[in-house]
Amino acid sequence: MDQFNRRAFLARASLLGAFVGAGVSFPGALNHSMRLVGRANAQATGSAVLDAVEEFSLDTMRALCVMVMPGPDEWSRQQGTPREDPGPIEVGGGEFMKDLFDNYLAMGDQLARPLALGMGTALADMGIPAEPFLGLSEPDGRRIDEVLGYVYSDRVLPLSLPVALVLNTGALLVNPGSITGPLGSPFSRLSLGDKCRVLEGIEGPVPELIAIVDGSLPAPLRGSASGFLRFAGGIMLQAAAFGVYSEQNTFNRQTRTVEPRPVPWELTGFRPTGLVDGHPEFVGYYQNRTEVPADA
Amino acid sequence: MRDVIVIGAGGGGPVVAAELAGRGLDVLILEGGPRHADPENQWSHAENDANNPNNGFLRFGPEDRDKPAWFREWTDNLFIWQLSGVGGTTQHYYGNSPRPMPGAFRGYTGADAGEYDTAHLFPFSYEELVPYLEWVEDTLPVETAAMGTKEELTFRGCEGIGLPVQTSRNITRPAFRPQQNAILQPGGNSGRTDDANLLTYPQATGCTFCGHCFQGCYVPRRAPRNQYAKRSTDNSYVPLGLAADAVRPGGRAFELIADSFVQRIHHEQEGPHSVARGVTWRNNTTGEVFSEDARVVVLAGGVTESPRLWFNSGLPNPNDWVGRGHTDHHFDWVVGSFDEYTGNSKGANSAARMDWPGRGGMENVGLGPAIQAFTLSLSDSGVRGVYDNGRGLYGPWDGPSGRLVGNELKDLMMGGIDTLLNFLVITDDHVQSRNRITPSLFPADENGAPAKVDVTLRDRSPRTQENREFMVHKSVEIMRAAGAKKVYRLDWAPLLLHVHSSMRMGESDQNSVLDANAEARWVKRLFIADNSALANALGGPNPTLTTQALATRTAEKIFQLYFGGDPWVRAEAPVVSTDPRISARMNAMGL
């Protein structure tokens, strides 16, 4: 089972990202556009593997966010819905989603192992040439563990990886041509309609994508791990919508102030003068009923 | 040894604790989540700051927001929006406190008696509960809600379809009305200004119409804790319990310990029964583990966590109904867009309600942009007009049901948050044994196996599904009569806000965990006092008031059965939780 531990799982994940992003053998140069997008958790690791993991996940999360808030960005243009008003890239939507998933689970390796097993099998079935890279060098592997131990608590699984893998596995199924092109992941290269087809595969009454993973899982987690992925699939758009239409990007937790004015507040006309403690919105009582007697 | 240990300071636990403390018992109340002792300086009105499931101040997790939230396993596209912390889920509820439908109780003989979940009735009559409802209504207090623009529009819609206004607290016929809310009504400058300088206590009292019920309530600023507008239990029953010695002769303030998760209920065999003896808990911050014995244990951890603790404690489950019978009102969501100002984001978040006995009800809901976008993105019908997961329902709403994405969602949001109106559809959801909580096979956390929530998306009983469709159609009618130019039906996936019945009381020992006193059938001296004790989904009304009335009744039963006392609800007057003696205690405690 050693090849299915977290390290191997991450290696597979990073390889998909590196492979599809660069189109060259790992650990070769990454796609230039991926370098530009930055990283959610900017750790100066010097590890190309971790860089690929982070950027692959972030790119996928950005592609998810523009589904619920298209904007003037490359991801929206790629999905076919560019517009001039600000979108989720401007409010850090991808970083928000990555953080949400990466810190969501008070959970350790036990979930990662079966997911790695299922995902690895699924990738192999799809002909993703990950095999040459399974044998990560020890120094690379240690760096991943050290960084994860620093960025995340020991008991939190960076869930953005399996979520990104599910979306990108689906992207390759829906549109095999998405394996190459602009941006850093197959999912981000899809049209809005094709992205919807990927989500349909996850959340439908017969979740086709999940079935691929589920078939490879060891009992007794067969229902549980895949069930969890179905849950994650279901909340992707809800969570993205919540995050990108909130104040999250300009809220200062120390001062509990919102500065500058959040983009979504501007877009929706919410709280023109900022957060206030009340409004002149009282218009009276219906039919002047201020009380209902207990015995009426 | 304590007289009583109460597990959980959410919607129900503090009721039992405060009532028994008022009778002079030595009561300890334990809460797994944080004690937000100074929300004016700990909270904000910001949506993500409050509601982020990972690190929002209103989440299901320990006090330290930098630590991970607690894990629960969900089996599908569903989400339970329960909170830890003193006040529990009432910290973010809307204060809606309607009475239950009389038809949900034993002995109901109305013409519509057959329309309810008659296989899972409460094991006593509605008439028996009414004095307890009145007691809680006085204690909180529950008051008739004022109107903002969104209520005016809602009532216009109700009038437009010829629905009569209900003039009784009891639900007797299809009708609409202002909500009976556990919210102090506006006084002084409240509701009349947005000037912060004019909205501090006491020049402003009660609800200031800030529009942030879901972010917790700490208005008017500078008010003593028990004078905050929304009567969540951290603002009502907890202050009452902390001042029990000041307001009741012979009363004794309860002890409250927060950020302390109960890991185990101690029990031993005594004759044919197990008997509860005490509890073990763990301080989340220090990791220290403590134990205390008690004459009576009251479990009030919530609909998800009470079964979890039961299982993790190894308590008996001979009929396999522990954790079963979970109901959630099978919600749905209808949104109207208007050409006029709706006041969606302002005022108490839900102050208008409509009821259809035997079917369910609906209520208006005001929202800020983040939760509004969330509600428009939650569906079991896939993406509207693109894929439908085998549903994509058509009806009097515009187009198929389903979540909005892309330009459709953004354009609707950019039409203005205050041009939208929302109705929450609340179904009379019949009890089904397959909807349940079990121990998860995922790895245990410090407190044992986490809970696995297995609530079916679609396999509801035919009557439940029929009820939901009926209520959705009525909602759309009212929305159009209110003036909506376009109406969306979301066909929500399960968003579990009203949860009940996972440790239900019942008439039969074949399908219930609790007897008619809310005592565990197979574990003496162990009572349950959260929503999980409810026998059913109440016919549709929001559950908190009924849970609190039932908890009051349970406190009386405990006092009679194990402490030789007399019941008080029919003999005495309640203490209103805004009582000046409680305010003085809150000031003295810096709360």
Side-chain angles (χ1 to χ4, degrees):
Chain A
M1 288 294 288
D2 192 50
Q3 67 270 34
F4 300 120
N5 63 21
R6 181 172 64 181
R7 186 180 304 168
F9 172 59
L10 291 172
R12 287 172 186 248
S14 68
L15 289 168
L16 179 61
F19 177 80
V20 300
V24 296
S25 295
F26 174 83
L30 293 174
N31 182 289
H32 181 64
S33 67
M34 290 174 65
R35 288 289 186 200
L36 292 179
V37 299
R39 296 224 320 271
N41 297 296
Q43 301 297 314
T45 62
S47 162
V49 174
L50 187 70
D51 285 349
V53 169
E54 297 284 336
E55 293 179 3
F56 173 71
S57 296
L58 180 60
D59 187 85
T60 305
M61 293 302 147
R62 285 176 164 165
L64 192 62
C65 287
V66 295
M67 293 183 73
V68 294
M69 186 194 263
D73 52 83
E74 204 175 339
W75 290 263
S76 298
R77 198 157 42 250
Q78 192 67 27
Q79 82 172 1
T81 62
R83 48 194 293 159
E84 293 183 358
D85 37 72
I89 308 306
E90 287 74 27
V91 302
E95 289 83 351
F96 171 85
M97 286 299 287
K98 191 170 176 308
D99 181 74
L100 187 77
F101 281 121
D102 283 348
N103 294 291
Y104 194 72
L105 270 179
M107 181 63 59
D109 288 350
Q110 293 91 335
L111 180 62
R113 287 195 184 104
L115 285 176
L117 177 58
M119 279 294 176
T121 305
L123 289 175
D125 288 349
M126 292 167 57
I128 301 294
E131 188 63 28
F133 311 108
L134 284 177
L136 260 189
S137 71
E138 276 302 309
D140 264 346
R142 273 203 302 275
R143 261 201 297 275
I144 290 175
D145 283 350
E146 285 165 8
V147 172
L148 286 173
Y150 175 73
V151 177
Y152 314 106
S153 88
D154 260 356
R155 299 187 61 76
V156 175
L157 170 73
L159 188 64
S160 67
L161 276 174
V163 170
L165 274 174
V166 168
L167 289 171
N168 284 288
T169 304
L172 294 174
L173 287 171
V174 164
N175 180 0
S178 66
I179 197 161
T180 58
L183 298 173
S185 67
F187 186 72
S188 68
R189 296 173 192 134
L190 298 182
S191 66
L192 179 60
D194 278 351
K195 288 179 180 177
C196 289
R197 289 172 64 197
V198 173
L199 287 165
E200 181 179 14
I202 297 170
E203 69 165 333
V206 181
E208 297 163 10
L209 286 179
I210 303 303
I212 292 173
V213 179
D214 205 31
S216 304
L217 293 178
L221 283 175
R222 186 161 295 159
S224 290
S226 61
F228 187 83
L229 283 177
R230 291 189 65 190
F231 155 70
I235 69 165
M236 284 177 202
L237 291 177
Q238 289 112 261
F242 170 78
V244 300
Y245 285 98
S246 82
E247 83 296 340
Q248 56 85 21
N249 193 47
T250 56
F251 184 79
N252 183 321
R253 194 160 139 186
Q254 276 64 51
T255 60
R256 290 177 294 113
T257 54
V258 188
E259 185 64 40
R261 178 170 168 75
V263 164
W265 292 10
E266 194 61 33
L267 292 175
T268 61
F270 182 65
R271 301 293 184 262
T273 59
L275 292 174
V276 292
D277 285 334
H279 294 285
E281 177 67 11
F282 171 57
V283 296
Y285 287 85
Y286 184 71
Q287 296 181 344
N288 296 317
R289 296 167 188 275
T290 57
E291 188 181 1
V292 181
D295 57 352
Chain B
M1 176 185 284
R2 302 277 184 169
D3 289 328
V4 179
I5 294 177
V6 178
I7 304 164
V15 177
V16 176
E19 292 292 349
L20 292 177
R23 305 292 132 186
L25 298 190
D26 177 8
V27 180
L28 169 64
I29 181 165
L30 296 162
E31 167 56 42
R35 171 74 166 120
H36 296 126
D38 185 16
E40 196 175 331
N41 291 304
Q42 294 173 316
W43 293 0
S44 73
H45 296 314
E47 293 183 282
N48 180 69
D49 181 41
N51 303 311
N52 186 303
N54 281 356
N55 57 20
F57 59 77
L58 298 179
R59 63 167 184 168
F60 181 66
E63 185 158 302
D64 183 351
R65 289 172 68 181
D66 291 329
K67 287 186 176 176
W70 289 317
F71 175 65
R72 289 161 162 176
E73 181 189 349
W74 345 78
T75 60
D76 222 321
N77 178 13
L78 59 84
F79 186 70
I80 298 185
W81 220 324
Q82 286 177 286
L83 312 181
S84 61
V86 176
T89 307
T90 68
Q91 292 170 107
H92 80 170
Y93 82 154
Y94 295 154
N96 300 140
S97 295
R99 293 183 175 185
M101 301 274 187
F105 290 77
R106 183 167 76 187
Y108 177 70
T109 57
D112 57 348
E115 302 296 305
Y116 301 87
D117 185 4
T118 53
H120 303 93
L121 295 171
F122 275 82
F124 51 82
S125 72
Y126 179 72
E127 289 70 26
E128 182 176 337
L129 189 68
V130 167
Y132 299 97
L133 294 168
E134 291 176 3
W135 180 277
V136 176
E137 287 165 343
D138 288 347
T139 302
L140 286 169
V142 174
E143 298 185 341
T144 302
M147 290 188 295
T149 307
K150 64 183 182 299
E151 284 72 37
E152 276 194 318
L153 287 176
T154 306
F155 296 143
R156 185 166 86 192
C158 292
E159 291 165 348
I161 69 163
L163 199 62
V165 63
Q166 181 182 304
T167 57
S168 163
R169 293 188 196 177
N170 296 328
I171 300 169
T172 57
R173 59 172 179 163
F176 72 95
R177 58 173 162 161
Q179 289 271 19
Q180 288 290 100
N181 275 347
I183 296 176
L184 302 179
Q185 292 307 295
N189 296 326
S190 291
R192 294 168 173 84
T193 181
D194 59 5
D195 183 345
N197 296 318
L198 301 176
L199 287 171
T200 56
Y201 184 85
Q203 56 184 338
T205 60
C207 179
T208 61
F209 280 69
C210 76
H212 297 296
C213 300
F214 206 63
Q215 281 77 262
C217 182
Y218 51 93
V219 292
R221 288 185 188 259
R222 298 184 204 163
R225 187 67 186 257
N226 68 317
Q227 301 287 350
Y228 285 170
K230 192 166 78 177
R231 315 309 295 158
S232 45
T233 54
D234 48 329
N235 297 335
S236 57
Y237 276 96
V238 169
L240 177 64
L242 292 170
D245 55 323
V247 297
R248 286 282 182 202
R252 178 175 179 172
F254 64 43
E255 183 179 358
L256 169 65
I257 301 177
D259 202 29
S260 295
F261 204 102
V262 175
Q263 298 176 312
R264 186 169 299 276
I265 297 171
H266 310 157
H267 57 101
E268 60 188 23
Q269 200 67 22
E270 189 174 274
H273 296 291
S274 289
V275 181
R277 295 297 189 205
V279 304
T280 291
W281 73 92
R282 177 182 181 275
N283 181 293
N284 301 323
T285 301
T286 67
E288 288 178 281
V289 175
F290 304 87
S291 286
E292 277 209 38
D293 295 335
R295 292 180 174 84
V296 168
V297 175
V298 178
L299 175 54
V303 164
T304 311
E305 297 304 310
S306 285
R308 174 195 180 183
L309 181 55
W310 187 285
F311 289 125
N312 287 343
S313 299
L315 290 161
N317 181 22
N319 66 3
D320 197 26
W321 263 79
V322 169
R324 291 189 184 273
H326 185 290
T327 66
D328 60 20
H329 280 158
H330 201 24
F331 285 155
D332 207 342
W333 194 254
V334 172
V335 181
S337 67
F338 287 68
D339 283 328
E340 63 189 299
Y341 170 77
T342 61
N344 174 33
S345 70
K346 300 172 184 174
N349 283 157
S350 176
R353 178 177 181 86
M354 297 72 90
D355 288 299
W356 266 265
R359 295 292 191 183
M362 61 279 235
E363 61 190 25
N364 71 340
V365 176
L367 298 172
I371 307 289
Q372 182 73 61
F374 175 91
T375 65
L376 289 163
S377 304
L378 173 63
S379 180
D380 189 26
S381 287
V383 171
R384 178 181 147 85
V386 182
Y387 69 95
D388 62 11
N389 294 339
R391 292 178 70 88
L393 308 171
Y394 286 87
W397 48 91
D398 289 298
S401 60
R403 59 165 67 102
L404 280 63
V405 300
N407 289 328
E408 185 176 35
L409 174 60
K410 191 171 186 183
D411 289 341
L412 183 63
M413 294 293 292
M414 287 180 67
I417 192 71
D418 286 324
T419 62
L420 301 175
L421 184 65
N422 299 284
F423 288 164
L424 173 65
V425 172
I426 308 174
T427 303
D428 182 10
D429 181 11
H430 290 205
V431 170
Q432 290 174 267
S433 64
R434 75 158 313 285
N435 290 332
R436 64 190 300 203
I437 310 295
T438 55
S440 173
L441 291 174
F442 279 136
D445 62 21
E446 297 88 345
N447 303 311
K452 176 179 179 179
V453 184
D454 187 359
V455 176
T456 175
L457 209 64
R458 303 173 183 218
D459 187 23
R460 304 287 171 132
S461 74
R463 178 65 189 204
T464 295
Q465 296 187 52
E466 191 184 314
N467 288 345
R468 190 188 200 228
E469 294 308 303
F470 179 91
M471 299 309 308
V472 168
H473 281 71
K474 289 294 178 189
S475 296
V476 176
E477 277 182 53
I478 294 170
M479 191 67 85
R480 290 208 189 280
K485 64 179 180 183
K486 198 161 185 182
V487 180
Y488 303 86
R489 179 190 182 177
L490 272 303
D491 187 27
W492 260 11
L495 178 61
L496 278 50
L497 294 160
H498 297 182
V499 285
H500 338 67
S501 310
S502 62
M503 305 288 283
R504 65 181 299 271
M505 60 167 40
E507 297 178 294
S508 165
D509 64 5
Q510 299 302 300
N511 63 7
S512 63
V513 178
L514 309 178
D515 66 17
N517 293 333
E519 188 173 21
R521 290 185 180 279
W522 295 282
V523 188
K524 296 302 156 191
R525 296 179 179 268
L526 177 58
F527 293 77
I528 295 187
D530 55 40
N531 285 16
S532 70
L534 299 173
N536 54 45
L538 311 178
N542 317 50
T544 309
L545 176 76
T546 307
T547 292
Q548 293 175 334
L550 185 61
T552 305
R553 180 177 177 273
T554 301
E556 276 193 346
K557 301 294 183 187
I558 292 169
F559 198 50
Q560 288 176 270
L561 285 169
Y562 293 111
F563 297 96
D566 295 320
W568 54 84
V569 163
R570 288 176 175 81
E572 299 178 16
V575 174
V576 183
S577 61
T578 54
D579 188 292
R581 293 168 293 181
I582 304 175
S583 303
R585 176 62 57 83
M586 294 300 102
N587 281 328
M589 297 178 75
L591 295 173

